[in-house]
């Protein structure tokens, strides 16, 4: 099973890489929460709520990009330090 070694490797990350990883996960969660709240407020009406819908979709996509960049930066930091 490959999951146990991956988790051990993640838990033994350097403090700088761990900080960046955790903060990117938190920021992604916050952006997804804001996107979800906007989609609830959108109420399915495209005529009056198009701006809310597009803002929610932008937050959703930005959250994915933030998480990807955060993981890549933390991996690069971890490889440089080891």
């Amino acid at each position: 099973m490959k999951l146990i070694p991956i988790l051990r490797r993640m838990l033994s990350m350097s403090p700088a890489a761990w900080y960046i990883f955790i903060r990117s996960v938190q920021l992604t969660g916050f952006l997804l929460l804001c996107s979800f709240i906007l989609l609830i407020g959108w109420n399915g009406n495209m005529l009056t709520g198009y701006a809310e819908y597009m803002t929610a979709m932008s937050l959703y996509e930005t959250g994915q990009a933030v998480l990807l960049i955060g993981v890549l930066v933390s991996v690069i930091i971890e490889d440089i330090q080891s």
Side-chain angles (χ1 to χ4, degrees):
M1 182 179 243
K2 299 256 180 194
L3 188 59
I4 303 281
I6 291 172
L7 289 175
R8 284 189 185 142
R9 174 86 170 138
M10 280 182 63
L11 292 175
S12 66
M13 288 171 45
S14 67
W18 183 253
Y19 179 81
I20 290 174
F21 175 72
I22 290 297
R23 295 299 173 222
S24 65
V25 169
Q26 288 175 346
L27 182 58
T28 300
F30 179 71
L31 290 173
L32 290 176
L33 177 69
C34 291
S35 174
F36 181 70
I37 290 170
L38 278 172
L39 283 176
I40 288 174
W42 170 55
N43 209 14
N45 190 357
M46 216 35 138
L47 292 175
T48 59
Y50 184 71
E52 290 176 353
Y53 174 76
M54 290 307 293
T55 304
M57 288 298 107
S58 297
L59 287 173
Y60 174 69
E61 293 168 357
T62 303
Q64 294 175 3
V66 165
L67 185 61
L68 178 65
I69 291 170
V71 167
L72 288 175
V73 169
S74 65
V75 167
I76 289 170
I77 289 173
E78 188 66 29
D79 283 343
I80 288 174
Q81 289 184 356
S82 58

